[in-house]
C-alpha cells in the first residue's frame, strides 16, 4: 500500500508532468524522490524525446541524496535502452530502495521495468493514482498500444451544423476566444492535418501561434500534413518556413495514419475539410471530436461533415466528456461511440 505521503507526492509528480505542454512522441512523465522520512528530495520531469527521462532528471537533481530514497513516478520506469539508458537500472544504481509508480508502461519496447526492479530487491508498487496519471498521455497510450496515431477531429459550425456558406465563405463562424482556444489544443499535438481542398479554399497556416499571433519557434511546431491529390501552389502559406510539412497523396485514411505512425506521430489534429473528416469518420478512425458551435444560423451551406449516412440507423452518438462556453460560442468535446446508443430507441 502506498502511504498518504507517497500518494501526495504522486499528485505533485503528475502536476510536474502536466506542466509540459507536449513531450510527443514521448509521454509526459513526472518523478518525485522522497527521503526515508517522506520529505521531498527532488522533482524531475521529462521534456521530450532525446532529453532525460523524469527519473533520470530527478536523480541528477538529487545527487548522492538519492541513496535510500523512494522514487514516486507517474509511469512505470522503462526497461530499455532507447534514446536514453533504462531508468530501472539507473534507479537501482542510484541506491533507491522503493519505487511507487502510477501507469504501467503500455509501450511494449520499454515495458518490464517493475520486474527488473523487483528482481533487484527493490520494493515496488504499481497503480497509485493510475487513472489520473493515464489522463496525461491518452493519445500516446492509444498510439503505442494500437500502432496508429490518436485522431482528434476539430470543427467549427453554426447551430445548424454548417461550416461554410453556399459561396464558400467561412471566416469567421466562431469568435476570437474559440479560435484562441484551438491554438491551445494544437500546441498539444504532433501533427495538424488538412485536406488539399480545404487548403486551396482557406489558405490556412496550420501552425501554433501565441497570444500575439506569432508562430511558436520551429522546433515546437507540429508537423503539417496535407492529404489529397490536388496540387497546392507554392505561394500558399502551408509552404512557409514556420513549420515542417508533409504532403500525402492518398485518400485512404488507414494508409495516411500508417505513414504518420512510421514517423512516430502519436496525435493528429484533423481540421478541415468536411470530405477528409468524412473519410476518417467512415473508417471509424476519429477518436475524439471537438466541436465549436456558434449560436447562429445560416440555413444553407456546407455541412461540417460529409460522411456516408443514408438512414437514421447510421446515427453515431458522441459520449460527451466536456461541454463549456468559450466566449459566445459552445465547445463540445466527446468520444464517438461505435454503435448507436441504446436509449436512442
Ligand atoms: C519518456 N520519458 O520520463 C519515461 C519514459 O526512446 P526513449 O529513450 O525516448 O524512451 C521512450 C520510452 O520510455 C517511452 O515510450 C516510455 O515507454 C518509456 N518511459 N519515456 O520519454 C520518461 N519514464
Ligand atoms: Zn526511462
Amino acid at each position: 500500500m502506498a502511504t498518504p505521503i507517497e500518494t501526495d507526492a504522486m499528485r505533485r509528480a503528475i502536476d510536474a508532468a502536466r506542466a509540459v505542454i507536449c513531450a510527443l512522441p514521448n509521454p509526459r512523465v513526472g518523478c518525485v524522490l522522497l527521503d526515508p522520512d517522506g520529505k521531498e528530495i527532488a522533482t524531475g520531469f521529462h521534456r521530450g524525446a532525446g532529453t532525460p527521462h523524469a527519473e533520470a532528471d530527478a536523480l541528477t537533481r538529487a545527487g548522492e541524496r538519492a541513496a535510500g530514497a523512494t522514487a514516486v513516478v507517474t509511469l512505470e520506469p522503462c526497461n530499455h535502452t532507447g534514446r536514453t539508458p533504462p531508468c530501472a537500472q539507473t534507479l537501482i544504481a542510484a541506491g533507491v530502495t522503493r519505487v511507487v509508480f502510477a501507469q504501467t508502461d503500455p509501450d511494449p519496447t520499454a515495458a518490464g521495468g517493475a520486474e527488473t526492479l523487483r528482481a533487484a530487491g527493490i520494493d515496488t508498487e504499481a497503480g497509485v493514482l493510475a487513472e489520473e496519471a493515464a489522463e496525461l498521455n491518452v493519445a500516446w497510450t492509444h498510439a503505442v498500444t494500437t500502432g496508429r496515431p490518436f485522431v482528434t477531429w476539430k470543427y467549427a459550425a453554426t447551430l445548424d451544423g454548417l461550416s461554410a456558406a453556399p459561396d464558400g465563405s467561412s471566416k469567421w463562424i466562431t469568435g476570437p476566444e474559440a479560435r484562441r482556444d484551438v491554438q491551445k489544443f494544437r500546441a498539444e499535438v504532433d501533427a495538424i492535418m488538412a485536406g488539399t481542398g480545404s487548403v486551396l479554399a482557406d489558405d490556412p497556416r496550420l501552425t501554433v501561434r501565441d497570444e500575439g499571433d506569432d508562430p511558436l519557434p520551429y522546433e515546437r511546431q507540429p508537423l503539417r500534413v496535407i492529404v489529397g491529390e490536388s496540387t497546392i501552389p507554392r505561394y500558399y502559406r502551408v509552404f512557409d518556413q514556420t513549420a515542417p510539412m508533409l504532403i500525402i497523396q492518398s485518400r485512404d485514411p488507414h494508409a495516411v495514419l500508417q505513414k504518420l505512425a512510421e514517423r512516430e506521430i502519436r496525435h493528429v489534429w484533423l481540421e478541415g475539410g468536411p470530405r477528409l473528416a468524412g473519410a476518417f469518420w467512415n473508417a471509424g478512425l476519429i477518436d475524439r471530436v471537438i466541436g465549436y458551435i456558434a449560436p447562429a444560423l445560416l440555413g444553407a451551406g456546407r455541412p461540417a461533415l460529409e460522411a456516408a449516412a443514408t438512414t437514421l440507423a447510421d446515427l453515431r452518438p458522441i459520449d460527451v466528456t466536456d461541454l463549456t462556453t468559450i466566449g459566445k460560442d459552445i465547445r463540445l468535446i466527446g468520444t464517438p461511440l461505435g454503435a448507436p446508443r441504446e436509449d436512442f430507441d
Side-chain angles (χ1 to χ4, degrees), residues 4 8 21 26 54 85-86 92 129 164 176 210 243 248 269 271 291 296 298 308 311:
D8 265 5
I21 295 169
N26 280 1
I92 295 166
L129 299 185
D210 66 14
I248 303 181
W269 180 260
E271 232 182 283
L298 204 45
T311 176

Side-chain angles (χ1 to χ4, degrees), residues 8-28:
D8 265 5
M10 185 65 84
R11 269 195 198 97
R12 297 198 299 282
I14 291 171
D15 288 344
R18 192 182 293 117
V20 174
I21 295 169
C22 176
L24 296 174
N26 280 1
R28 299 191 289 178

